[in-house]
Amino acid sequence: MKILVSACLLGENCKYNGTNNKNENVIALEKKHTLIPICPECFAGLPIPRVPSEIKDGKVFSKDGEDLTEAFNDGAEKALYIAEEAGCQIAVLKERSPSCGFGKIYDGSFSGKLINGNGITAHLLYEHGITVLGESQVKKID
Ligand code: SF4
């Protein structure tokens, strides 16, 4: 099976602070599946490192107040295109990210508080019928 995966979970240093979220359980999926890495924030043309962003009232703002909604939407569209071209029905995405988080995201106050909601890319993929799982849920995949 082809699985779309947040590149930072595979060890790519594409996270806002220039590091990664390497996860051995996600990497282990490679034994049985073809993993297609994506980083929507990189696809959006945002630099590494970059100022962190959170979602507030449906829009994306960097911590210094820049409205990045359009860039995040652009990155999400590119991720969806790759998912559809590759025929991915499942995505394993980084939990809590304003792009990749699914189910829980930070509340927009940059205080570490979580609320119910989806990152921009995760939501777009979900709307197009792709099953979105976080890295803590990979054991659900055969
Ligand atoms: Fe990882 Fe997604 Fe953030 Fe890129 S946008 S660094 S893939 S969580």
Side-chain angles (χ1 to χ4, degrees):
M1 178 161 72
K2 288 185 179 170
I3 303 175
L4 201 73
V5 180
S6 293
C8 59
L9 293 173
L10 299 175
E12 285 293 323
N13 291 327
C14 51
K15 200 176 155 178
Y16 74 89
N17 61 5
T19 67
N20 63 71
N21 298 303
K22 189 171 179 181
N23 183 299
E24 296 300 338
N25 291 332
V26 176
I27 290 169
L29 291 171
E30 219 158 27
K31 289 181 200 149
K32 284 172 132 184
H33 304 284
T34 302
L35 306 186
I36 315 280
I38 52 145
C39 176
E41 292 175 30
C42 301
F43 296 164
L46 299 173
I48 304 169
R50 54 190 172 276
V51 177
S53 299
E54 292 190 3
I55 297 175
K56 182 88 180 167
D57 299 327
K59 302 195 89 182
V60 186
F61 294 97
S62 66
K63 196 173 182 181
D64 54 13
E66 191 181 354
D67 184 345
L68 294 174
T69 310
E70 203 174 311
F72 271 61
N73 284 336
D74 183 44
E77 290 288 349
K78 289 174 177 154
L80 175 64
Y81 176 80
I82 290 169
E84 290 186 332
E85 283 293 301
C88 299
Q89 288 168 354
I90 292 185
V92 176
L93 303 184
K94 176 72 189 85
E95 290 161 359
R96 299 179 294 280
S97 151
S99 290
C100 295
F102 190 72
K104 293 273 182 199
I105 52 168
Y106 293 112
D107 72 348
S109 64
F110 296 92
S111 63
K113 192 171 168 235
L114 291 170
I115 54 170
N116 292 333
N118 300 327
I120 303 293
T121 294
H123 192 72
L124 186 69
L125 295 172
Y126 167 74
E127 280 185 329
H128 285 77
I130 295 170
T131 300
V132 180
L133 300 174
E135 68 272 21
S136 66
Q137 299 175 298
V138 290
K139 290 191 174 140
K140 289 184 184 171
I141 301 171
D142 271 339

